[in-house]
Amino acid sequence: MSDSKALAIACALVASTALVSCSQQSSSSHDTATTASMSSEQPSSSTPATTGQTRAPQESTIPESSTIGTTTSTAPDPAACNAQKTNPLLGTDHLSVAGGRGETITFSVSEDHFDPCAPLSWSVIAGGVGSGNSLREGVVFFIDGEPVNSPMPLMEEKVLSVTPLGDASARVTYSILTGPRAAEETVQGSATFTADPAGGLAISDNSLPAVANEAGIQVDVSTL
């Protein structure tokens, strides 16, 4: 083979090889560009696209008042209710008589319905002023375990009954002297006592006769 013919064949091979190589590179570049274009235009359904976009925050479905990880309880507030608290009447046997006369009544608890966590509870006490004095009976009320002094507890000849009227109300029926004790003449009278959210007790359905003011005494429980 002549040198000129060999040279021509070599040039043809070189040209052919370059064409193939350029063609392959062009095809590869085109495929890469196409793939990149598809990736940017059609993001994967499993991976959200974030480039160039800001996703609006989703609104919470939890109410603002909700507290995650806690539960609502209806149990009494430990700060307001001490279930271990005992009846303060059991810690003394004397109470001052209202009226500023300096007298005291010596008493004992005859019925104990004290409940430190109840909206309204009570105890029936029996006692007299001075030695040998005839006994009177009265009801001391408690609101959430605290003794109520407004109005002051009333002591009459006898407490006939205390009837609960719901959680925060009770009706008391008294036996009331209408004359000298020796005559043993009495009349009944009742009143309903209800725990007042503003403090103290509200009195309603009061059928106590006027003589109850003369026959009875009131005691001060503010020092309990």
Side-chain angles (χ1 to χ4, degrees):
M1 182 180 297
S2 65
D3 292 339
S4 59
K5 189 174 182 178
L7 180 61
I9 294 172
C11 288
L13 289 173
V14 170
S16 175
T17 303
L19 180 62
V20 172
S21 177
C22 289
S23 176
Q24 290 176 343
Q25 290 178 0
S26 176
S27 175
S28 176
S29 298
H30 176 73
D31 292 344
T32 301
T34 302
T35 302
S37 176
M38 292 178 63
S39 297
S40 63
E41 293 178 0
Q42 299 181 5
S44 170
S45 61
S46 61
T47 304
T50 57
T51 304
Q53 299 182 10
T54 300
R55 302 183 67 183
Q58 296 182 349
E59 294 185 359
S60 172
T61 58
I62 302 174
E64 292 182 0
S65 59
S66 296
T67 303
I68 299 175
T70 63
T71 56
T72 302
S73 174
T74 57
D77 182 359
C81 169
N82 179 5
Q84 303 303 317
K85 184 177 181 179
T86 59
N87 190 337
L89 289 170
L90 301 179
T92 184
D93 61 358
H94 289 77
L95 290 173
S96 297
V97 176
R101 295 179 294 179
E103 296 177 320
T104 60
I105 184 172
T106 302
F107 75 94
S108 62
V109 177
S110 57
E111 293 184 29
D112 189 2
H113 300 280
F114 173 78
D115 184 343
C117 297
L120 187 70
S121 61
W122 64 90
S123 292
V124 177
I125 62 173
V129 178
S131 59
N133 204 324
S134 298
L135 296 179
R136 290 182 172 92
E137 291 184 348
V139 179
V140 178
F141 283 103
F142 304 88
I143 295 178
D144 297 322
E146 295 298 323
V148 180
N149 207 46
S150 178
M152 294 181 179
L154 175 65
M155 306 281 290
E156 292 290 351
E157 183 68 10
K158 190 172 182 62
V159 173
L160 297 177
S161 64
V162 181
T163 305
L165 302 175
D167 292 336
S169 185
R171 187 163 183 80
V172 181
T173 300
Y174 302 89
S175 176
I176 303 161
L177 280 174
T178 58
R181 187 175 297 277
E184 298 182 350
E185 295 178 355
T186 61
V187 64
Q188 291 186 17
S190 302
T192 297
F193 299 86
T194 302
D196 189 342
L201 294 170
I203 301 175
S204 60
D205 298 329
N206 187 351
S207 66
L208 296 175
V211 70
N213 293 326
E214 301 175 8
I217 60 174
Q218 289 180 285
V219 293
D220 186 353
V221 295
S222 62
T223 58
L224 292 177

